[in-house]
Amino acid sequence: MWSLRFAALGAAAMALCGAASAELAPHHQNAPNDPAAGIEALSDADFLDEGAPSPAKVALGQLLFFDKILSGNRNISCATCHHPTLGSSDGLALPLGEGAVGLGPERRATAEAPLLGRVPRNSQALYFLGAKEYRSFFHDGRVEVDRHKNWPSGFWTPAREQLPVGLDSLLAAQAMFPVTSPEEMAGHKGENPVATAAAQDRLGGTEGVWDLLARRLRAIPEYVARFRLAFPDVEAAEDITFVHAANAIAAFEATAFRADGSPFDRYLESRDPTALGAAARRGMALFYGAAGCSGCHSGALQSDHRFHAIAMPQIGPGKNDGWDRSYWRATGFADRLEDQGRQRVTADPADRYAFRTPSLRNVELTGPWGHAGSYDSLEAVVRHHLEPLQALARYRIASATLPPLPHVIETRAVGSQLVFRPVNPAKLEDYRRRDGWVQQSETLRQAIAEANVLEPGSLGQEDIDDLVAFLKALTDPRSRDQSELVPARVPSGLPVKD
């Protein structure tokens, strides 16, 4: 049941109400032949802080989420790629991060601020990330609970021993990393001290990325006052760390993007079939039955939180994986364009091209879909699952939402120096070929196909329509427009709107 979260969100006060639990509807026994038998309705106990984080911490996290002060060049915020009016994502197949201007599908590179390139993976939606059941974050799960207790922080992350202690949750650990990415928020080496620290892998410690950003916050009196209000261990400006900021951002995300007011939630609470439309009821029966969707999309959030290779098409620049140099040989750009997914974390070839099963909550709002945003319709995603290898073979990039890149820069080594310079206009077309290179390469496409573990299925058009209807029944209508979350101003004084 939805808890009372935002009883007041005035622009002047910038305060959130306490998260008092609403009284749950009486639980009814599962009806005979209930497709979702065994799945319980969500409650506050399923979420961080028992669904009631500190209002002061949430209010602070909201401001930080929208404040560009946390980016190297002070020109991009968390909300740029995770906007509450865009399904907590950005509406693009692959984000245009640091340096671009505009919001969502209107975002573009400019001659004044050319990009290093596209962000390699789709911007994941933030719905329900405050649920306790999450045990990893990012498409490849590279931020996860440290089950073997190797690191003092309690989390296994790319920062290893540099990750500080004191993070409240896995979600807070995740919030530490977008600010360290050159393409996402940091900028490229030499542009600003944060970007240079990130390029040198100086994340923690004095003069590291997180320390440099915390210093910015310490210099803003309003932030100092809010950190003191939110955290008992902050008595003065010098006590503020980026760990505090990450904990606050996580509290905000867990509160703002909890979306358990969908028709499916009403069904779980009441077991009344009329909570769903007729098509959605038929789709639910397929989802938990003959179509086999719940084999991976299990539980109340429709995710097993595991990693599976399902032959999803890859578009964009990839993650520089593998040994294929065909793009370099054809264009002169020294890039490897594969994204090998979970294998990047585990180094296990069995995990190649496997990606984390996403939750399907609010999935109607979160397209384009896939780890690279390859599909721009829910029906297309459903059809891919029914015939993954055929869908991979016939996929064409024209269906993806990829804004053009008229102004980009490339990285070159000149002697011992790293030089960033605009791509020669005569070579721009070759540069743009990277977006579809993996898909047009029979060798690379076949490698993705060979890793596939998804068994094909067979459904008619009416069944597909019913499945899509059920997926839409997972949408909380309040998530369609959460513009009330956007603050009128932030303490840095930087513009809130892109």
Side-chain angles (χ1 to χ4, degrees):
M1 195 69 130
W2 186 271
S3 295
L4 298 177
R5 297 198 200 24
F6 297 108
L9 194 59
M14 295 304 304
L16 298 175
C17 73
S21 299
E23 184 179 352
L24 289 176
H27 177 71
H28 296 270
Q29 295 295 321
N30 292 348
N33 303 317
D34 180 0
I39 300 176
E40 297 295 329
L42 294 163
S43 71
D44 286 346
D46 295 311
F47 295 90
L48 300 175
D49 299 305
E50 306 306 305
S54 155
K57 190 183 295 187
V58 173
L60 171 60
Q62 180 191 22
L63 295 172
L64 294 169
F65 186 84
F66 286 93
D67 202 331
K68 296 181 176 68
I69 195 73
L70 296 187
S71 62
N73 290 320
R74 296 175 171 86
N75 60 356
I76 189 170
S77 71
C78 305
T80 304
C81 294
H82 299 283
H83 206 272
T85 64
L86 294 169
S88 72
S89 183
D90 63 357
L92 299 173
L94 299 172
L96 298 181
E98 203 287 329
V101 297
L103 186 64
E106 304 304 316
R107 192 163 175 79
R108 294 290 184 271
T110 67
E112 293 75 24
L115 299 182
L116 282 167
R118 303 187 196 280
V119 177
R121 291 178 179 161
N122 181 256
S123 177
Q124 292 186 287
L126 304 182
Y127 299 117
F128 287 98
L129 297 191
K132 294 177 182 177
E133 68 180 63
Y134 274 90
R135 50 184 184 261
S136 70
F137 285 118
F138 293 110
H139 289 285
D140 56 14
R142 64 186 180 272
V143 171
E144 53 191 327
V145 173
D146 181 12
R147 292 172 294 173
H148 302 294
K149 304 187 184 304
N150 291 311
W151 308 113
S153 67
F155 304 103
W156 182 276
T157 75
R160 301 293 194 268
E161 73 282 354
Q162 293 192 72
L163 190 70
V165 299
L167 291 159
D168 289 343
S169 64
L170 184 65
L171 183 56
Q174 182 277 332
M176 299 287 286
F177 288 93
V179 297
T180 70
S181 168
E183 293 88 359
E184 293 182 45
M185 294 184 74
H188 64 68
K189 184 179 180 181
E191 276 192 313
N192 63 76
V194 172
T196 299
Q200 296 172 347
D201 196 35
R202 288 187 289 109
L203 306 183
T206 305
E207 300 293 332
V209 170
W210 298 316
D211 178 57
L212 292 171
L213 293 174
R215 290 186 196 180
R216 294 182 183 180
L217 299 174
R218 294 172 197 149
I220 301 173
E222 184 179 345
Y223 269 132
V224 174
R226 286 183 173 275
F227 275 96
R228 290 182 63 192
L229 184 63
F231 296 99
D233 61 333
V234 174
E235 297 181 356
E238 57 266 25
D239 297 327
I240 296 171
T241 69
F242 199 79
V243 167
H244 292 113
N247 285 335
I249 291 170
F252 168 70
E253 292 175 342
T255 303
F257 300 110
R258 176 178 163 181
D260 48 351
S262 71
F264 181 67
D265 287 297
R266 294 199 300 272
Y267 174 78
L268 292 181
E269 291 160 7
S270 66
R271 300 295 167 172
D272 179 358
T274 62
L276 302 171
R281 290 198 298 271
R282 295 193 299 268
M284 180 170 65
L286 285 166
F287 187 94
Y288 292 105
C293 309
S294 61
C296 296
H297 293 284
S298 55
L301 299 184
Q302 289 83 35
S303 176
D304 61 2
H305 301 287
R306 297 176 183 269
F307 302 85
H308 307 281
I310 62 170
M312 190 62 70
Q314 187 209 308
I315 60 177
K319 298 287 282 186
N320 205 33
D321 293 339
W323 301 104
D324 184 272
R325 296 284 189 176
S326 58
Y327 176 69
W328 168 63
R329 290 193 296 270
T331 67
F333 290 105
D335 287 320
R336 296 170 293 172
L337 301 182
E338 290 182 81
D339 182 348
Q340 295 182 346
R342 182 63 173 169
Q343 183 184 345
R344 294 174 53 81
V345 178
T346 65
D348 185 347
D351 289 329
R352 189 169 298 172
Y353 307 118
F355 295 88
R356 187 167 59 85
T357 306
S359 168
L360 297 183
R361 291 310 198 96
N362 278 354
V363 67
E364 176 190 6
L365 309 179
T366 62
W369 296 271
H371 70 274
S374 305
Y375 287 111
D376 56 8
S377 82
L378 274 179
E379 180 175 331
V381 178
V382 171
R383 288 188 176 278
H384 177 95
H385 283 70
L386 293 174
E387 43 180 16
L389 300 186
Q390 296 91 324
L392 175 69
R394 65 172 178 256
Y395 178 84
R396 295 295 179 267
I397 197 172
S399 65
T401 307
L402 287 175
L405 288 179
H407 307 288
V408 290
I409 54 179
E410 61 177 326
T411 307
R412 292 286 185 179
V414 178
S416 61
Q417 299 296 315
L418 199 61
V419 176
F420 300 88
R421 63 189 184 193
V423 171
N424 186 326
K427 295 285 290 177
L428 267 177
E429 283 306 314
D430 280 342
Y431 180 90
R432 291 170 182 145
R433 290 170 68 188
R434 71 182 59 200
D435 283 340
W437 190 266
V438 171
Q439 272 303 113
Q440 64 85 42
S441 167
E442 184 175 351
T443 299
L444 296 177
R445 197 173 63 245
Q446 183 61 28
I448 295 174
E450 289 174 356
N452 173 63
V453 298
L454 185 61
E455 293 293 331
S458 178
L459 293 177
Q461 183 61 51
E462 291 184 359
D463 289 336
I464 292 172
D465 291 343
D466 289 342
L467 273 176
V468 171
F470 173 65
L471 294 177
K472 291 182 177 180
L474 302 175
T475 301
D476 185 329
R478 291 165 294 194
S479 299
R480 294 187 183 279
D481 180 7
Q482 290 187 285
S483 54
E484 78 280 357
L485 296 177
V486 182
R489 55 171 293 278
V490 289
S492 71
L494 292 168
V496 174
K497 295 184 178 179
D498 286 280

